[in-house]
Amino acid sequence: MFKFLTSKPLWVNILAGIVVLLLLLLLFLGSLALLTQHGKTMRIPTVTGLSYTDAKKSLETQGFDVQIQDSVYSDTMKPLQVVKQFPEAESQVKINRTIYLTINRAQAPFIQMPNLVSMSFRNAESILRQYGLKIGDTIFKPYFARNSVLEQQFKGDPIKPGTQIQQGSAITLVLGNGIGGGQGL
């Protein structure tokens, strides 16, 4: 079966093997540019600010794949609006590249209400901002500590720390007015 290999001198077989290996290597390197579409690039359009469906349609018609990478919540943006794209707009990329989008959530996530009682108004305001909550109304009551948070309310009712509440909700703060003649609540 392998008589053709053993009938020739060893150096001829080694030389034939090297030639076949070089031909395979040249064939691979020659087809590499074709396989990777070397030099064929496209400009990515700006889709930030568009709705997800419009952005996806725009990108797919140009030959890009689209995936949602992340979602965030911002009450200043429309639900399912594109917040960010990667790679950035106007970048030159190879065709058939996947574009990753970060979109605005359709619904605000739920968070735990922080404990603001006994904090200063300034600290409470900072913590509300960190949690993605808003300051609704401020009500002043007689209490010796001016601008000290005496109570936290949601829609007119007291809200306990740890209660699940939607991000972006408005919290009413009951504050001390610095007058009180030693009286508490």
Side-chain angles (χ1 to χ4, degrees), residues 39-58:
K40 296 180 182 177
T41 61
M42 293 183 70
R43 184 186 59 79
I44 299 174
T46 302
V47 294
T48 304
L50 297 178
S51 71
Y52 172 69
T53 52
D54 291 343
K56 184 176 181 180
K57 188 187 306 178
S58 172

Side-chain angles (χ1 to χ4, degrees), residues 73-76 107-114 116 124-137 152-157 159-160 163-173:
Y73 178 73
S74 172
D75 59 353
T76 60
Q107 207 173 24
F110 282 89
I111 58 167
Q112 289 187 0
M113 179 66 196
L116 306 173
E125 183 180 32
S126 174
I127 288 175
L128 285 174
R129 202 174 309 118
Q130 287 174 359
Y131 277 77
L133 298 169
K134 297 177 186 174
I135 293 182
D137 197 9
Q152 53 197 29
Q153 298 177 353
F154 177 63
K155 294 184 179 178
D157 295 322
I159 184 168
K160 293 181 181 177
T163 304
Q164 292 290 314
I165 187 171
Q166 273 192 315
Q167 195 174 19
S169 298
I171 305 299
T172 298
L173 297 177

Side-chain angles (χ1 to χ4, degrees), residues 26 35 37 83-84 91 99 113 129 131 140 149-150 174 179 185:
L26 286 174
L35 292 172
Q37 299 176 353
V83 177
K84 187 174 143 187
S91 299
I99 309 300
M113 179 66 196
R129 202 174 309 118
Y131 277 77
F140 288 92
V149 178
L150 305 175
V174 178
I179 305 171
L185 284 171

